[in-house]
Amino acid sequence: NPASKVYVANKIKACNTVGFHSMTHKLEDSSSEEELLSLIDNLNKDESIDGILVQLPLPKHINELKIINAIAPEKDVDGFLAHNLGTLATGELNSAIACTPFGVMALLYAYGIDPSGKNSVVIGRSNIVGKPMSLLLLSADATVTMAHSKTQNLIQICQNADILVAAAGQPEMVTKDFIKKDAIVIDVGIHRKENGKLCGDTHQNAKEIASALTPVPGGVGPMTIAMLMLNTALAAWNKDRKS
Ligand code: GUN
Protein backbone atom coordinates (compact mmCIF):
# COMPACT_ATOMS: atom_id res chain seq x y z
CA ASN A 1 0.00 0.00 0.00
CA PRO A 2 1.74 3.22 -1.16
CA ALA A 3 0.39 5.37 1.72
CA SER A 4 1.45 2.72 4.26
CA LYS A 5 5.00 2.83 2.86
CA VAL A 6 5.19 6.56 3.58
CA TYR A 7 3.66 6.18 7.09
CA VAL A 8 6.00 3.32 8.00
CA ALA A 9 9.05 5.25 6.75
CA ASN A 10 8.00 8.23 8.91
CA LYS A 11 7.54 5.98 11.95
CA ILE A 12 11.00 4.44 11.50
CA LYS A 13 12.47 7.93 11.16
CA ALA A 14 10.75 9.03 14.39
CA CYS A 15 12.12 5.95 16.22
CA ASN A 16 15.61 6.85 15.05
CA THR A 17 15.14 10.48 16.12
CA VAL A 18 14.07 9.59 19.67
CA GLY A 19 16.56 6.73 19.97
CA PHE A 20 14.26 3.71 19.90
CA HIS A 21 15.40 0.43 18.43
CA SER A 22 12.96 -0.49 15.64
CA MET A 23 12.58 -3.56 13.43
CA THR A 24 10.47 -3.78 10.27
CA HIS A 25 9.03 -7.07 8.99
CA LYS A 26 7.80 -6.72 5.41
CA LEU A 27 5.55 -9.60 4.44
CA GLU A 28 4.37 -10.50 0.94
CA ASP A 29 0.84 -9.58 -0.18
CA SER A 30 0.18 -13.30 -0.45
CA SER A 31 1.30 -14.09 3.12
CA SER A 32 -1.14 -16.18 5.12
CA GLU A 33 -2.89 -15.27 8.36
CA GLU A 34 -0.90 -18.08 10.03
CA GLU A 35 2.42 -16.52 8.98
CA LEU A 36 1.42 -13.17 10.38
CA LEU A 37 0.05 -14.70 13.60
CA SER A 38 3.25 -16.64 14.08
CA LEU A 39 5.35 -13.46 13.62
CA ILE A 40 3.19 -11.63 16.18
CA ASP A 41 3.50 -14.55 18.59
CA ASN A 42 7.31 -14.38 18.33
CA LEU A 43 7.31 -10.62 18.90
CA ASN A 44 4.92 -11.01 21.85
CA LYS A 45 7.44 -13.36 23.46
CA ASP A 46 10.51 -11.28 22.56
CA GLU A 47 11.65 -9.52 25.76
CA SER A 48 13.62 -6.95 23.76
CA ILE A 49 10.43 -5.64 22.09
CA ASP A 50 8.18 -3.21 24.00
CA GLY A 51 5.77 -2.26 21.21
CA ILE A 52 4.23 -3.93 18.16
CA LEU A 53 2.44 -2.13 15.36
CA VAL A 54 0.74 -3.84 12.41
CA GLN A 55 0.38 -1.23 9.69
CA LEU A 56 -3.14 -1.23 8.25
CA PRO A 57 -4.77 -1.90 5.85
CA LEU A 58 -4.00 -5.60 5.48
CA PRO A 59 -4.72 -7.63 2.34
CA LYS A 60 -8.40 -8.67 1.95
CA HIS A 61 -7.82 -12.36 2.76
CA ILE A 62 -6.54 -11.48 6.23
CA ASN A 63 -8.90 -10.82 9.13
CA GLU A 64 -7.66 -7.50 10.50
CA LEU A 65 -9.37 -7.76 13.89
CA LYS A 66 -8.02 -11.28 14.43
CA ILE A 67 -4.49 -10.06 13.72
CA ILE A 68 -4.74 -6.91 15.84
CA ASN A 69 -6.21 -8.82 18.78
CA ALA A 70 -3.32 -11.31 18.66
CA ILE A 71 -0.92 -8.58 19.85
CA ALA A 72 -0.12 -8.74 23.58
CA PRO A 73 -2.22 -5.92 25.17
CA GLU A 74 0.81 -4.39 26.90
CA LYS A 75 2.65 -4.18 23.54
CA ASP A 76 -0.28 -2.64 21.61
CA VAL A 77 1.27 0.80 21.03
CA ASP A 78 -1.41 1.64 18.44
CA GLY A 79 -4.17 1.20 21.07
CA PHE A 80 -6.23 -0.82 18.58
CA LEU A 81 -6.91 -3.95 20.64
CA ALA A 82 -10.50 -4.57 21.71
CA HIS A 83 -9.19 -4.56 25.30
CA ASN A 84 -7.58 -1.13 24.94
CA LEU A 85 -10.53 0.43 23.09
CA GLY A 86 -12.76 -1.10 25.79
CA THR A 87 -10.84 0.48 28.68
CA LEU A 88 -11.17 3.81 26.88
CA ALA A 89 -14.94 3.27 26.87
CA THR A 90 -15.04 2.42 30.59
CA GLY A 91 -12.89 5.43 31.45
CA GLU A 92 -9.76 3.58 32.59
CA LEU A 93 -7.33 5.79 30.75
CA ASN A 94 -4.33 3.71 31.76
CA SER A 95 -3.73 1.67 28.60
CA ALA A 96 -2.53 2.71 25.15
CA ILE A 97 -4.81 5.23 23.44
CA ALA A 98 -5.15 5.18 19.64
CA CYS A 99 -2.46 7.53 18.38
CA THR A 100 -4.45 9.79 16.03
CA PRO A 101 -7.26 10.69 18.46
CA PHE A 102 -4.71 10.92 21.28
CA GLY A 103 -2.73 13.37 19.12
CA VAL A 104 -5.88 15.41 18.46
CA MET A 105 -6.50 15.72 22.22
CA ALA A 106 -2.86 16.75 22.76
CA LEU A 107 -3.26 19.43 20.07
CA LEU A 108 -6.46 20.78 21.65
CA TYR A 109 -4.81 21.06 25.06
CA ALA A 110 -1.62 22.57 23.60
CA TYR A 111 -3.75 25.36 22.12
CA GLY A 112 -5.69 25.88 25.36
CA ILE A 113 -8.93 24.45 23.96
CA ASP A 114 -10.92 22.70 26.68
CA PRO A 115 -13.63 20.45 25.15
CA SER A 116 -15.68 20.49 28.38
CA GLY A 117 -19.33 21.28 27.62
CA LYS A 118 -18.60 21.99 23.93
CA ASN A 119 -20.63 20.53 21.10
CA SER A 120 -18.25 18.20 19.29
CA VAL A 121 -19.03 16.41 16.08
CA VAL A 122 -16.85 13.58 14.80
CA ILE A 123 -17.40 12.63 11.16
CA GLY A 124 -16.32 9.01 10.69
CA ARG A 125 -16.82 5.94 12.87
CA SER A 126 -13.71 3.84 12.25
CA ASN A 127 -12.22 1.76 15.04
CA ILE A 128 -8.91 3.58 14.66
CA VAL A 129 -10.10 7.19 14.61
CA GLY A 130 -13.84 7.97 14.89
CA LYS A 131 -14.77 5.68 17.79
CA PRO A 132 -11.77 6.37 20.06
CA MET A 133 -11.97 10.09 19.17
CA SER A 134 -15.59 10.25 20.34
CA LEU A 135 -14.74 8.40 23.56
CA LEU A 136 -11.83 10.74 24.33
CA LEU A 137 -13.93 13.86 23.74
CA LEU A 138 -16.64 12.35 25.92
CA SER A 139 -14.16 11.65 28.70
CA ALA A 140 -13.10 15.32 28.41
CA ASP A 141 -16.78 16.24 29.07
CA ALA A 142 -17.68 17.32 25.54
CA THR A 143 -21.18 16.73 24.19
CA VAL A 144 -20.38 14.33 21.38
CA THR A 145 -22.19 13.51 18.16
CA MET A 146 -20.85 10.79 15.88
CA ALA A 147 -21.71 11.33 12.24
CA HIS A 148 -21.01 8.97 9.35
CA SER A 149 -21.92 8.10 5.77
CA LYS A 150 -25.56 7.29 6.69
CA THR A 151 -26.11 10.41 8.82
CA GLN A 152 -29.02 12.56 7.68
CA ASN A 153 -28.75 16.37 7.70
CA LEU A 154 -24.98 16.17 8.09
CA ILE A 155 -24.44 19.84 7.25
CA GLN A 156 -26.92 21.05 9.91
CA ILE A 157 -25.38 18.73 12.51
CA CYS A 158 -21.89 20.02 11.74
CA GLN A 159 -23.09 23.64 11.84
CA ASN A 160 -23.78 23.06 15.54
CA ALA A 161 -20.20 21.96 16.29
CA ASP A 162 -17.82 24.05 18.39
CA ILE A 163 -15.23 21.34 17.68
CA LEU A 164 -15.51 19.49 14.38
CA VAL A 165 -13.30 16.48 13.67
CA ALA A 166 -13.27 15.48 10.01
CA ALA A 167 -12.27 11.81 9.71
CA ALA A 168 -14.51 10.64 6.91
CA GLY A 169 -11.81 9.76 4.40
CA GLN A 170 -13.44 11.98 1.74
CA PRO A 171 -11.22 14.61 0.10
CA GLU A 172 -12.35 18.21 0.84
CA MET A 173 -15.92 17.17 1.76
CA VAL A 174 -16.14 19.57 4.72
CA THR A 175 -16.62 22.99 3.17
CA LYS A 176 -17.31 26.35 4.81
CA ASP A 177 -21.07 25.57 4.71
CA PHE A 178 -20.53 22.90 7.37
CA ILE A 179 -18.84 25.22 9.82
CA LYS A 180 -20.16 27.27 12.72
CA LYS A 181 -18.52 30.69 13.04
CA ASP A 182 -15.26 30.43 15.01
CA ALA A 183 -15.43 26.64 15.34
CA ILE A 184 -12.27 24.60 15.82
CA VAL A 185 -11.79 22.23 12.88
CA ILE A 186 -9.49 19.23 13.12
CA ASP A 187 -8.72 17.56 9.81
CA VAL A 188 -7.68 13.91 10.08
CA GLY A 189 -7.78 13.18 6.34
CA ILE A 190 -4.88 13.03 3.93
CA HIS A 191 -5.37 12.48 0.21
CA ARG A 192 -3.42 13.03 -2.97
CA LYS A 193 -5.30 15.10 -5.52
CA GLU A 194 -5.08 14.60 -9.28
CA ASN A 195 -2.71 17.58 -9.51
CA GLY A 196 -0.33 15.74 -7.13
CA LYS A 197 -0.99 18.06 -4.16
CA LEU A 198 -2.05 16.75 -0.76
CA CYS A 199 -5.37 17.71 0.79
CA GLY A 200 -7.44 16.72 3.80
CA ASP A 201 -11.13 16.01 4.40
CA THR A 202 -11.65 19.77 4.74
CA HIS A 203 -11.80 22.36 1.98
CA GLN A 204 -9.50 25.36 2.39
CA ASN A 205 -12.52 27.72 2.31
CA ALA A 206 -13.32 26.44 5.84
CA LYS A 207 -10.62 28.89 7.03
CA GLU A 208 -12.96 31.79 6.21
CA ILE A 209 -15.34 30.69 9.00
CA ALA A 210 -13.36 28.56 11.47
CA SER A 211 -11.19 30.12 14.19
CA ALA A 212 -8.66 27.30 13.78
CA LEU A 213 -8.05 24.59 11.21
CA THR A 214 -5.28 21.98 11.31
CA PRO A 215 -3.10 21.99 8.15
CA VAL A 216 -2.68 18.99 5.85
CA PRO A 217 0.06 17.90 5.73
CA GLY A 218 1.73 18.90 9.00
CA GLY A 219 -1.22 18.88 11.42
CA VAL A 220 -2.65 15.67 12.82
CA GLY A 221 -0.16 13.38 10.97
CA PRO A 222 2.95 14.37 12.97
CA MET A 223 0.87 14.26 16.19
CA THR A 224 -0.06 10.63 15.43
CA ILE A 225 3.60 9.74 15.21
CA ALA A 226 4.48 11.70 18.36
CA MET A 227 1.81 9.78 20.30
CA LEU A 228 3.09 6.49 18.91
CA MET A 229 6.48 7.35 20.40
CA LEU A 230 4.80 8.28 23.69
CA ASN A 231 2.78 5.04 23.78
CA THR A 232 5.97 3.08 23.13
CA ALA A 233 7.88 4.86 25.90
CA LEU A 234 4.95 4.23 28.27
CA ALA A 235 4.87 0.53 27.31
CA ALA A 236 8.59 0.25 28.12
CA TRP A 237 8.24 2.12 31.42
CA ASN A 238 5.23 0.03 32.44
CA LYS A 239 7.20 -3.15 31.74
CA ASP A 240 10.14 -1.91 33.82
CA ARG A 241 7.79 -0.98 36.65
CA LYS A 242 6.34 -4.50 36.70
CA SER A 243 9.68 -6.34 36.53
N1 GUN B 1 -3.22 2.85 8.94
C1 GUN B 1 -3.68 4.12 8.90
N2 GUN B 1 -3.42 4.76 10.07
C2 GUN B 1 -2.81 3.85 10.86
C3 GUN B 1 -2.28 3.91 12.18
O1 GUN B 1 -2.34 4.92 12.90
N3 GUN B 1 -1.69 2.77 12.64
C4 GUN B 1 -1.62 1.64 11.89
N4 GUN B 1 -1.06 0.57 12.42
N5 GUN B 1 -2.09 1.56 10.66
C5 GUN B 1 -2.68 2.67 10.15
Side-chain angles (χ1 to χ4, degrees):
N1 179 298
S4 290
K5 276 190 189 165
V6 177
Y7 297 145
V8 170
N10 287 337
K11 290 171 187 180
I12 296 170
K13 205 166 129 198
C15 285
N16 292 337
T17 304
V18 298
F20 291 168
H21 161 68
S22 77
M23 293 163 77
T24 313
H25 298 267
K26 286 187 191 155
L27 274 69
E28 293 300 319
D29 227 12
S30 56
S31 300
S32 65
E33 233 172 54
E34 288 68 36
E35 266 175 88
L36 191 45
L37 287 170
S38 144
L39 173 60
I40 291 173
D41 188 44
N42 288 336
L43 294 169
N44 281 342
K45 290 177 185 146
D46 186 340
E47 286 282 319
S48 72
I49 298 294
D50 296 304
I52 303 170
L53 177 151
V54 178
Q55 187 65 33
L56 303 178
L58 296 176
K60 290 251 174 328
H61 65 278
I62 293 188
N63 180 335
E64 245 170 42
L65 280 179
K66 188 171 168 191
I67 298 299
I68 296 298
N69 284 313
I71 297 171
E74 66 279 10
K75 295 192 180 188
D76 171 34
V77 286
D78 252 334
F80 289 172
L81 251 74
H83 170 86
N84 289 335
L85 192 56
T87 51
L88 196 56
T90 53
E92 300 157 79
L93 298 179
N94 58 0
S95 39
I97 296 173
C99 304
T100 298
F102 196 9
V104 171
M105 296 308 283
L107 261 184
L108 290 176
Y109 287 118
Y111 282 86
I113 300 159
D114 180 359
S116 178
K118 299 220 165 68
N119 284 330
S120 305
V121 175
V122 179
I123 314 175
R125 55 175 159 179
S126 69
N127 287 345
I128 67 177
V129 181
K131 286 180 198 165
M133 186 76 255
S134 302
L135 291 168
L136 281 171
L137 286 165
L138 190 61
S139 63
D141 299 326
T143 303
V144 184
T145 304
M146 286 186 80
H148 47 79
S149 54
K150 300 283 192 299
T151 297
Q152 292 177 2
N153 305 323
L154 178 65
I155 296 184
Q156 284 97 315
I157 290 170
C158 292
Q159 281 168 346
N160 197 31
D162 303 308
I163 299 175
L164 179 62
V165 181
Q170 297 294 329
E172 299 182 324
M173 72 165 270
V174 175
T175 59
K176 63 178 180 182
D177 304 331
F178 286 58
I179 295 172
K180 179 177 171 180
K181 181 147 176 38
D182 291 335
I184 309 292
V185 182
I186 309 279
D187 192 342
V188 175
I190 183 154
H191 314 276
R192 192 162 300 276
K193 296 206 275 193
E194 273 174 17
N195 65 9
K197 293 212 170 113
L198 292 172
C199 72
D201 282 6
T202 308
H203 195 281
Q204 284 306 301
N205 65 15
K207 273 190 194 154
E208 296 166 23
I209 316 281
S211 64
L213 168 66
T214 59
V216 177
V220 171
M223 291 307 295
T224 298
I225 295 189
M227 299 333 257
L228 176 65
M229 299 300 111
L230 176 59
N231 279 344
T232 309
L234 289 172
W237 285 326
N238 283 337
K239 189 179 81 182
D240 284 351
R241 235 176 18 162
K242 283 180 195 145
S243 59

